[in-house]
Amino acid sequence: MSLYSPPEPVYEQSRSATELGAAVILAPNAHGIMKRLGIDLEKDGAVSRQWHTEYTSSGQRLALVDLMKTAGLWQHSGILCRRIAIHNSLKIASTSPEGDGPPVKLHTKARVADVDVDSSTLLFEDGSKVSGDCIIGADGVKSITRTKVHDTKPFPSGKSAYRFLVERSKALCNPLTADLVSREGDFSIWYGRDRRIWMYTTQFNELLNFVCMHPDSLSEVSDSKEAFGEAGNKADNKANMMEIFKDFDPRVLALLELAEPPSVRLWQLYDMDPPPTRLAGKLCLLGDAALPFLPHIGQGAACAIEDAASLAAILLPGTSCADIPEMLQFYEECRKDRAEKIHSFSRLLGHDLEPGNEDARINRARMTVEFFPYIFTYDEHNHTTQKFRQLMYEKSSPHWSMPTAFGPMPGPRQTFYGRKDDASSYVRSSVKFKSSRTLLKNLLPGQSVIFAGPGSIALASFSHTAFSNVSWLGGRGYDEFAFYIHGVQCTKLDGSSLPGSFLAVLFVNSADAIASDREDLGIPKVFCDLQAQRKDSGYTLKASWQGTQFAEMQLHDLAESVAEPSEREGEADPVFVRRYIPALGNKGKAIADCIVCLPSAKPSQSTEERKRGAANADIKWTTRDGNALPTLHQIVARLAEVPIFEVVKATVTEGLGMPEYDNAYVVRGLEDERQGNT
């Protein structure tokens, strides 16, 4: 939130200075997010989880797993850390003047009394209120904001837990307990029939964190705080805990005996059925406010961190107020199913190990082969970011071309998110001339595109266009040099004819521009170097490839001419191209071979600012062999054969706009022609 300017305020109901819940497990899926935020919890005392040990309540060891043997499967390690350390690290990272963005304003002791969803207003117990663009409700199990979203309520799970910390050195000094705490980064569980004890190291392996779960009927809930999962601290908590677990291994009881009575706190564990939604208008829920978790799979804090990472990837700086409801709906789509699935895993792992309860045994087996891979092989930032990209793609309906994995390819028809270019300018020089119809016929694609009228003379043109200030090229430009054959018609499958011009080849001096329209539209683009020299009295274009010049077009004695409707030479009528994509592994065959019509191949919203006519023009082609022009010699040789009987028109036009081909369509397939369907 510190990336917003001004930074968004955060209202915390506590004094934000107390130890709550002792320690917490951060699995790889959450640890990675913290690292992405630049928070190094291991530097602050968090311990990498290295061992997993299981015992029966009598002390028989069931499993000893060296987690380091599989650590290479996960990008980030699971860590065991104190809650207060996480809290302080997050607070420092968000409120410090150092780092990205201005510091967040954190308001403590700000207890919310009511929420007005319609106006995005919080009313506090002290009578003050504050309004914003949206509200993120992260107010825990007994959430006030949740009551404004749905009627689903948390309920007692049937279990409570005593939690406390013990100095590990004390256990190491006792011969009875030393072996149980000898391994650093060890997470140990003792299973009873309806109760269990967790113990793991934390804070530089100097502390032991205990979670002692048991039927809540065995421990008295004395006030509303305990009843809603908050810490209750009574003088007899330790004594009652020792009584509840009195039948456990004496070594474990010796560990519990190390607890200082004031530090033993009681939580009643609450559960909640997955609600229908986690948002209402511009209010969304996060963490336990959205869906409280039982602790049995250690994912409550992790899922809250994932929620936050998802929101951060969606509510980016610059998001408009009008878009917030849609963005929050998208947040729910990203998070709801995964959170509910992990929530169900936690419920399954919490089943009591009653004699003959085969399901509980199976669920424990599923933990390593199903539950953990699903949870750990995941990064919420990457997941939401990709889904957000896809949402933006869907909204803009962009054109796609390879490589598709990285998103739409910017090109003449679109920027990255599909917006059209509206700031480009161009200078176009065109020479239209009379030529040999019988020779030009050989460049047309079969009988589907033929000359419309009789005679042995046809019109053709060479046209050079220099684009500048092109948005999709970051304000840079590129050049095109086209050869059109005019006065043709394309015969449709229904027998009717469509008049237009045929684009035989388009030389382009930008690889990016070539990649954008070659395969998808069939525009016959090839690469060469194009260099234009413009003067008030003349215009010269030179075409070459890696220093080998093969064409030069000159327009002489330019003079201002009467303005006409702006047109790209050859494109006043529809332009036809042959789209040909060869078949893979089937030489001589094509997966696409068709005639494409570009009916609107003219500058979008173009304005012609200046037009000049030339008194005369000439074009000179120089043929080269395959060594000098390895990929172009055959094209240059054929174009050099084209005679210029008479120059009909030669112009230089300056204006604004880029070609649009959004209405391009396939007129007919050439396979139909080969099968005789002409």
Side-chain angles (χ1 to χ4, degrees), residues 639-653:
L639 292 176
E641 295 176 356
V642 177
I644 299 178
F645 298 153
E646 177 188 347
V647 173
V648 175
K649 182 173 65 172
T651 60
V652 175
T653 305

Side-chain angles (χ1 to χ4, degrees), residues 399 401 408-416 418-424 467 469-474 476-480 506 508 510-518 520-521 523 525 568 600-604 657-662:
H399 304 284
S401 60
M409 181 67 73
R413 291 179 289 157
Q414 64 182 18
T415 58
F416 181 72
R419 296 180 292 274
K420 293 184 176 65
D421 194 300
D422 58 2
S424 301
F467 293 105
N469 195 33
V470 179
S471 296
W472 67 272
L473 286 178
R476 300 169 181 84
Y478 67 96
D479 292 49
E480 298 177 345
L506 183 65
V508 183
S510 165
D512 297 306
I514 291 173
S516 63
D517 292 324
R518 181 182 167 104
D520 54 347
L521 290 180
I523 298 179
K525 295 182 176 181
R568 184 180 184 183
S600 301
K602 54 188 176 182
S604 171
M658 283 287 291
E660 279 189 11
Y661 300 118
D662 288 344

Side-chain angles (χ1 to χ4, degrees), residues 327-370:
M327 294 299 99
L328 296 185
Q329 181 66 48
F330 181 67
Y331 156 70
E332 179 165 77
E333 293 174 8
C334 289
R335 290 297 303 149
K336 192 172 187 294
D337 289 347
R338 174 172 166 84
E340 290 179 3
K341 188 169 186 176
I342 298 175
H343 180 269
S344 71
F345 292 166
S346 189
R347 281 182 167 180
L348 291 172
L349 290 177
H351 288 174
D352 287 338
L353 299 179
E354 298 281 357
N357 187 349
E358 187 67 11
D359 287 343
R361 186 191 66 79
I362 293 174
N363 289 335
R364 287 174 58 203
R366 291 174 64 192
M367 179 170 61
T368 55
V369 299
E370 179 184 351

Side-chain angles (χ1 to χ4, degrees), residues 429-503:
S429 61
S430 300
V431 178
K432 180 180 283 188
F433 57 91
K434 295 179 181 179
S435 188
S436 168
R437 170 172 163 166
T438 56
L439 186 144
L440 295 176
K441 177 183 177 182
N442 296 333
L443 298 176
L444 298 177
Q447 297 300 311
S448 297
V449 179
I450 61 176
F451 285 103
S456 60
I457 295 177
L459 291 177
S461 63
F462 288 103
S463 176
H464 167 249
T465 305
F467 293 105
S468 59
N469 195 33
V470 179
S471 296
W472 67 272
L473 286 178
R476 300 169 181 84
Y478 67 96
D479 292 49
E480 298 177 345
F481 184 35
F483 176 56
Y484 294 96
I485 301 173
H486 305 300
V488 301
Q489 64 184 23
C490 180
T491 305
K492 301 180 181 179
L493 290 179
D494 63 5
S496 62
S497 296
L498 180 66
S501 298
F502 180 73
L503 175 57

Side-chain angles (χ1 to χ4, degrees), residues 24 29 53 61 111 115 156 161 166 198 215-216 242 256 267 278 286 293 300 313 408 422 486 506 543 580 601 620 636:
V24 65
N29 55 308
T53 313
R61 193 166 70 187
R111 288 189 172 272
V115 179
V166 167
W198 288 1
D216 58 8
M242 299 302 297
L256 300 185
W267 267 263
R278 55 172 58 197
L286 180 152
F293 275 66
D422 58 2
H486 305 300
L506 183 65
Y580 184 91
K620 179 182 179 181
V636 172

